[in-house]
Amino acid sequence: MDDKGIYTDFKEQMTYGEYLNLDQILSSQTRLSGHHDEMLFIIIHQVSELWMKLILHEITSAITAIQRDELPEAFKMLARVSRVQTQIIQAWDVLSTLTPAEYMEFRDHLGRASGFQSYQNRQIEFALGYKQPHILKIYEKDQALAAKLKRSYEAPSIYDVSIKALAKAGFPINESLLQRDFSMTYSGDDSVADAWLKVYQDVDTYWDLYQLAEKLVDIEDSHQQWRFRHMKTVERIIGNKTGTGGSSGVAYLKTVLNHRFFPELWDVRTKL
């Protein structure tokens, strides 16, 4: 192999590590307990947060694309979200190698810090339409972050803009939905159900809307798989103990499994 062309002089050039800020990233794993397995715990959560950042980057751009009637562009972004979701689902498999005894060696060092407080996870839930007002209180310590979360909380979700896309296509959507308070969690509407049914009954005519619906189902399906793997991993490691952040732990994680982001897209399967 001829490797004479490989560049080795970086005195005046940017390196791979500098481009990625690797010194900063790789020095951010501070074990408070010094316990061997705390490194696993930190890295899994940091990696998941990076993937969440990409999910938010793609899903917020997809919302904008749908608002601009650029559905094919949104499909590419939403397909990428689904691929990223497979990564954060599989991360639970790695964390599940942490045994209860190992976790208890450093759990007390977490204090009240908890994955329950992940603001990016909340932003993803907001973007998907699940909005709970009491959650915002967690972030009041940081005014800039609290303001950012409030903007996400009040913004239309991807399903809100998808419902508007149905209206733009000529479907008789309940007008109050199009002007509703987007800080309220969507619970369903007959006009939306009727519109999606017609889309699925005439796929050729409404191909783009059909594709949008299926992309949304992909994302909700994967998000619920992530929630389930989260719940089972927590149950495996701490059983039914209260979470470090004060939540009921497994009991809370089980309740959110029952929530549906896009109810009509699941109901339509029964109606077809």
Side-chain angles (χ1 to χ4, degrees):
M1 178 179 175
D2 183 5
D3 58 2
K4 292 180 180 179
I6 294 178
Y7 203 85
T8 58
D9 182 4
F10 286 94
K11 293 184 179 67
E12 304 296 333
Q13 299 290 331
M14 177 176 63
T15 66
Y16 170 81
E18 289 169 339
Y19 173 66
L20 295 177
N21 289 318
L22 286 183
D23 285 348
Q24 181 179 351
I25 292 172
L26 298 179
S27 62
S28 297
Q29 294 74 46
T30 304
R31 289 180 292 163
L32 298 182
S33 68
H35 191 275
H36 175 83
D37 295 301
E38 190 180 355
M39 183 66 75
L40 163 67
F41 190 82
I42 293 170
I43 288 177
I44 285 295
H45 287 86
Q46 288 181 340
V47 168
S48 295
E49 290 292 337
L50 284 172
W51 281 129
M52 287 182 192
K53 183 172 183 176
L54 183 55
I55 287 174
L56 284 168
H57 176 70
E58 298 296 339
I59 205 167
T60 53
S61 295
I63 288 172
T64 300
I66 295 169
Q67 289 173 318
R68 294 175 177 171
D69 300 323
E70 298 170 351
L71 294 188
E73 289 83 350
F75 298 158
K76 173 69 174 179
M77 299 163 189
L78 296 177
R80 183 172 291 160
V81 169
S82 294
R83 292 297 183 91
V84 174
Q85 286 175 306
T86 65
Q87 299 298 313
I88 62 174
I89 290 169
Q90 291 173 357
W92 294 120
D93 293 336
V94 182
L95 186 60
S96 67
T97 65
L98 180 69
T99 69
E102 290 164 347
Y103 181 51
M104 293 310 295
E105 289 290 327
F106 62 86
R107 186 179 192 241
D108 287 346
H109 289 269
L110 303 182
R112 291 299 182 187
S114 166
F116 184 81
Q117 298 148 15
S118 168
Y119 64 84
Q120 289 198 125
N121 182 37
R122 297 306 174 194
Q123 285 183 289
I124 290 171
E125 289 183 338
F126 295 167
L128 295 178
Y130 184 60
K131 302 181 178 184
Q132 300 296 305
H134 66 278
I135 292 297
L136 295 176
K137 293 184 178 296
I138 295 172
Y139 309 100
E140 291 177 348
K141 177 179 179 179
D142 184 333
Q143 291 186 354
L145 176 59
K148 182 178 182 180
L149 267 291
K150 191 170 187 293
R151 289 193 295 271
S152 298
Y153 181 80
E154 294 174 347
S157 72
I158 195 162
Y159 200 48
D160 289 316
V161 299
S162 297
I163 290 171
K164 285 194 174 184
L166 289 171
K168 289 180 182 178
F171 290 103
I173 300 299
N174 185 344
E175 186 63 30
S176 64
L177 287 182
L178 305 179
Q179 307 298 329
R180 77 184 193 90
D181 178 357
F182 296 122
S183 68
M184 303 292 291
T185 297
Y186 178 79
S187 59
D189 186 89
D190 288 343
S191 66
V192 175
D194 291 343
W196 285 126
L197 180 59
K198 290 182 174 63
V199 167
Y200 275 81
Q201 288 174 332
D202 193 353
V203 170
D204 291 339
T205 300
Y206 302 111
W207 178 253
D208 278 354
L209 290 170
Y210 171 71
Q211 285 285 88
L212 175 59
E214 286 298 292
K215 290 288 187 293
L216 294 178
V217 169
D218 288 343
I219 288 172
E220 177 162 356
D221 189 349
S222 292
H223 194 81
Q224 292 294 64
Q225 289 182 50
W226 179 84
R227 280 175 162 176
F228 179 78
R229 290 296 296 123
H230 184 188
M231 182 270 294
K232 294 306 293 183
T233 302
V234 170
E235 186 175 34
R236 176 173 177 157
I237 296 174
I238 69 168
N240 290 296
K241 292 185 182 74
T242 300
T244 50
S247 75
S248 57
V250 169
Y252 169 78
L253 296 174
K254 285 181 177 179
T255 61
V256 296
L257 280 171
N258 295 323
H259 175 75
R260 298 191 302 171
F261 295 106
F262 320 129
E264 292 88 2
L265 295 182
W266 296 100
D267 293 341
V268 72
R269 281 144 170 81
T270 304
K271 296 177 180 178
L272 284 171

